Amino acid sequence: VPDAVVFSGGASGAWKVVRQVAVTGAPLPPVARIEKGGKAVTDAAWVLMGVTSNLRYTTAAEKRILDATPSVLGRPSATRGALIPITKSARWWGLPQDERRAILEEQSRHIAIGSAYLSKVSRQLVHCRDQAGARFDFLTWFEFAPADEPRFDELLAELRASPEWRFVEHEVEIRLDRGT
Ligand code: HEM
């Protein structure tokens, strides 16, 4: 059963915004804090929502590797986070499934690269492409310890340099801290 995941940006929320940048395409209105939950915060400046879903591209062998180190959200030590909403191009969505898989993994090694970070970076992929009026295809969410932030930066740089990212036409990066 998919879980609804709602990100409310505004004056309140458990996560303090440390940095908010438009990597590609339009920015989101800047906010001071973000709340992540199952429902929108009433006084939010903006709300992004989606659902967790099934895997689309991952093979059985890759899934075994991912399942060996499950992503745990809400670890007390993981006080840093990132919300990265992403939209891919019409060209990407026009490709058949096997060609999208080939770009994501055989050409870009998204899962292989990501798998090296499983023990340091917890993640959640939220889908919103099929939602009427949604501005993003995905809301990607990450949690990690402050000491592992340089590793997370490295992961982002690796993925953004890959062929898959040529299909990313909108990307906003919001770095978060729930320590204070
Ligand atoms: C922490 C390490 C990471 C791992 C292990 C990982 C793993 C995966 C896997 C297995 C999928 C495919 C799911 C499927 O089969 O449908 C996926 C999809 C995706 N990941 Fe990652 N990932 C990581 C980091 C990242 C980062 C840092 C970003 C964003 C900056 C990102 C953005 C995405 C997006 C947007 C998708 C959906 C792609 C699509 O369906 O077109 N991932 N990831």
Side-chain angles (χ1 to χ4, degrees):
V1 182
D3 277 325
V5 183
V6 183
F7 298 96
S8 304
S12 63
W15 294 85
K16 190 175 73 183
V17 174
V18 175
R19 193 167 82 239
Q20 182 175 334
V21 291
V23 181
T24 307
L28 276 173
V31 290
R33 307 191 75 95
I34 284 181
E35 179 67 10
K36 176 180 191 274
K39 278 195 251 165
V41 169
T42 46
D43 61 348
W46 47 255
V47 174
L48 298 173
M49 64 178 96
V51 290
T52 58
S53 189
N54 54 278
L55 298 172
R56 267 79 162 160
Y57 304 111
T58 308
T59 65
E62 288 159 354
K63 187 174 184 301
R64 275 194 293 277
I65 292 169
L66 297 175
D67 289 349
T69 311
S71 266
V72 178
L73 299 177
R75 275 205 181 96
S77 59
T79 58
R80 295 289 165 84
L83 169 62
I84 307 182
I86 286 179
T87 303
K88 285 180 166 177
S89 63
R91 198 160 77 80
W92 170 267
W93 293 111
L95 294 172
Q97 199 272 350
D98 56 340
E99 291 180 11
R100 281 181 272 129
R101 153 73 199 185
I103 293 163
L104 182 120
E105 194 58 23
E106 281 69 30
Q107 295 179 30
S108 303
R109 305 182 45 76
H110 184 128
I111 300 168
I113 290 169
S115 293
Y117 295 84
L118 287 172
S119 62
K120 304 287 185 199
V121 179
S122 291
R123 74 201 163 88
Q124 188 173 38
L125 180 60
V126 177
H127 291 255
C128 41
R129 174 172 164 77
D130 294 335
Q131 237 167 239
R135 285 170 288 173
F136 295 98
D137 294 336
F138 307 100
L139 309 172
T140 68
W141 174 258
F142 306 93
E143 295 177 9
F144 41 85
D148 293 320
E149 193 142 24
R151 298 278 290 147
F152 183 71
D153 292 335
E154 192 184 289
L155 166 64
L156 278 183
E158 280 186 79
L159 290 177
R160 286 178 180 153
S162 74
E164 182 191 355
W165 248 253
R166 292 185 211 138
F167 296 88
V168 172
E169 65 174 25
H170 194 187
E171 179 173 9
V172 177
E173 180 179 329
I174 305 174
R175 291 292 180 108
L176 303 160
D177 188 336
R178 66 172 169 80
T180 46

